[in-house]
Amino acid sequence: MLTTDETLPNTRMNNYLLKVTCFFWLPAKLIGWRLFTLDRTFPSAPVFEGLNGIPAAVHAGLYLVSLSLLVVLLKAKKNRLFLCCLLLTEICSCLLDQNRLRAWEYQCLFIVFIFILSARNQKLVTVAFAFILASTYFYSGLGKLNPGFLQNIWTRMVLEMFLKLPPSTASLTWLHYSGYTLGCIELLAGAGLLFPQSTKTSAKVLIAMHVLILIWLGPLGLRYNRIVWPWNLAMIGYLYLLFLKKDSPVIHFGNITTGWNKVILIFWGILPALNIFGYWDSFLSLGMYSGNIPGMVICIKDTSKCRPIKKFFRKDKSNICNGYEMVNLQYWAISEMGVSAYPELRVYRQFQRKLEKEYPAAGISCIYYADGKRLP
């Protein structure tokens, strides 16, 4: 058993961590209100197709309950019943639409989970929380070590769009491949959180990374993907509280195999590695801005039969659709919901079935691709 002296600092720390989570989770859900409701034309993707008939009012109801619980948890002392209700509400919402299972949403679900099941041992909460952070950075950095990140994120979004470098300069070999250093730094800093000797240095490096991300994506930069702005601020708060604050607890990661923390070890330490072999989803493996997610193009023969999505048509510069109108799935998702579609082929095929059923006379066909190659 922990003594009172051991428990109090951890209790205070965990209360701060929970408040930070609720404080920044709330605006993310407000920004992404179309994602969490069905007030949109973009199709939902329930985990089980039998859930397709659930009324829009249920989606909206779950969203409002979630917002209410976050407000209550911000104002009230930590309450296990409220946390259980929040976890159940969010799981139901994500079951109704996998698009909602963003990396930050997935992280918040597990944060609530550890607060519920390890509440009697405050040290275990802190250990699990810190391990989730370390895993997030490690696998996010690992996911960036691919050619898609260099081309789509580093060269196009950072060098050309943000820094305004001409393509001839951005494509210089040394500058192009220097993008890999970002993934390496994030990966190493994430691993560094696990070792007392490198904890503070790693936390400072990661905080600087989040500041740069906010400058890059925020109001002073590309003004892109607003829904992740609160998450980046929350991560700065987590790093400061757990690793840099003067009275931050000493974290012993040997406790990650104790009690319910075994679940955290499995879902955050082991399963994300399976994404390398295609056996675990990208978003659940913290593949943020990896640049290598699969894509989907929707080709439409008769546009008069699907007028609700007409505003998302784009010019087919590559003649992918052989002269027919084209809709890029990710462009549609970002334009309407402010986030990308859930990047898994099984979800894309579910979208295709839905579109073919909703617009049977439009002559819809879909093309899938990954790593620059067309998929069957």
Side-chain angles (χ1 to χ4, degrees):
M1 289 290 293
L2 297 175
T3 66
T4 303
D5 289 341
E6 289 174 311
T7 302
L8 278 176
N10 287 281
T11 301
R12 190 183 309 115
M13 175 63 61
N14 293 341
N15 285 336
Y16 289 152
L17 292 171
L18 182 59
K19 296 296 183 185
V20 168
T21 300
C22 295
F23 185 79
F24 289 106
W25 197 358
L26 186 60
K29 290 184 71 74
L30 289 171
I31 292 169
W33 68 274
R34 287 191 183 275
L35 173 65
F36 290 95
T37 66
L38 290 187
D39 187 15
R40 65 190 200 224
T41 59
F42 194 86
S44 61
V47 174
F48 308 107
E49 294 208 28
L51 297 175
N52 273 312
I54 301 297
V58 174
H59 292 254
L62 290 170
Y63 176 62
L64 293 175
V65 169
S66 175
L67 294 180
S68 301
L69 288 168
L70 287 171
V71 171
V72 169
L73 286 166
L74 267 175
K75 293 185 175 182
K77 290 184 178 180
K78 183 173 58 178
N79 185 295
R80 199 172 183 182
L81 176 60
F82 292 148
L83 289 171
C84 289
C85 291
L86 178 61
L87 182 63
L88 179 61
T89 300
E90 290 297 322
I91 289 175
C92 289
S93 180
C94 291
L95 286 173
L96 294 180
D97 188 0
Q98 293 169 82
N99 290 301
R100 296 165 186 163
L101 200 54
R102 325 307 297 177
W104 52 267
E105 174 79 5
Y106 185 65
Q107 186 187 76
C108 288
L109 287 175
F110 273 90
I111 288 172
V112 173
F113 172 80
I114 61 178
F115 272 107
I116 293 171
L117 294 176
S118 298
R120 294 183 179 179
N121 192 327
Q122 298 295 319
K123 276 190 173 181
L124 294 187
V125 173
T126 307
V127 169
F129 208 113
F131 186 80
I132 285 175
L133 291 189
S135 298
T136 297
Y137 294 117
F138 179 85
Y139 284 112
S140 176
L142 184 64
K144 292 178 174 64
L145 302 181
N146 71 85
F149 172 77
L150 290 184
Q151 183 60 42
N152 300 319
I153 307 300
W154 172 245
T155 299
R156 187 173 67 87
M157 292 188 67
V158 177
L159 298 181
E160 295 180 8
M161 296 175 63
F162 178 63
L163 297 179
K164 307 296 184 184
L165 296 180
S168 58
T169 302
S171 61
L172 290 173
T173 302
W174 70 269
L175 186 56
H176 176 75
Y177 285 99
S178 67
Y180 278 141
T181 60
L182 301 181
C184 291
I185 289 171
E186 186 176 4
L187 183 156
L188 292 172
L193 293 177
L194 299 173
F195 303 98
Q197 302 89 334
S198 55
T199 290
K200 291 189 181 299
T201 300
S202 295
K204 291 175 182 177
V205 168
L206 291 167
I207 286 174
M209 181 192 77
H210 284 293
V211 171
L212 291 174
I213 289 173
L214 286 167
I215 294 172
W216 169 46
L217 296 178
L220 300 177
L222 301 182
R223 300 181 183 179
Y224 179 76
N225 206 8
R226 291 185 303 151
I227 203 167
V228 302
W229 299 356
W231 186 38
N232 278 275
L233 291 170
M235 295 294 273
I236 291 173
Y238 296 152
L239 290 165
Y240 172 73
L241 289 170
L242 281 169
F243 303 111
L244 297 180
K245 198 170 182 286
K246 287 184 179 180
D247 58 349
S248 294
V250 177
I251 299 170
H252 300 287
F253 284 100
N255 291 334
I256 196 61
T257 59
T258 303
W260 283 101
N261 280 359
K262 294 186 185 75
V263 177
I264 302 300
L265 176 62
I266 292 169
F267 277 86
W268 288 84
I270 299 172
L271 290 178
L274 298 181
N275 178 254
I276 299 171
F277 309 102
Y279 293 116
W280 196 245
D281 288 0
S282 293
F283 278 2
L284 308 189
S285 304
L286 300 316
M288 293 88 70
Y289 290 98
S290 62
N292 64 342
I293 63 173
M296 173 178 168
V297 169
I298 305 161
C299 302
I300 304 167
K301 292 182 180 179
D302 189 347
T303 58
S304 66
K305 304 299 182 182
C306 55
R307 294 188 183 279
I309 62 174
K310 187 176 181 179
K311 60 184 176 181
F312 304 110
F313 293 168
R314 302 190 77 187
K315 289 185 178 181
D316 187 4
K317 296 179 180 179
S318 302
N319 199 31
I320 298 174
C321 292
N322 298 319
Y324 296 120
E325 291 289 352
M326 181 193 83
V327 176
N328 182 292
L329 184 78
Q330 295 298 356
Y331 170 76
W332 179 7
I334 292 170
S335 297
E336 189 168 29
M337 299 189 299
V339 297
S340 58
Y342 196 76
E344 299 297 329
L345 289 177
R346 70 172 190 279
V347 175
Y348 290 177
R349 292 193 169 97
Q350 187 179 161
F351 290 150
Q352 180 175 0
R353 292 192 294 272
K354 280 194 160 189
L355 292 170
E356 289 173 345
K357 183 178 180 180
E358 188 168 357
Y359 307 111
I364 287 177
S365 61
C366 296
I367 298 170
Y368 308 102
Y369 57 90
D371 299 323
K373 300 177 182 178
R374 186 166 173 169
L375 300 176

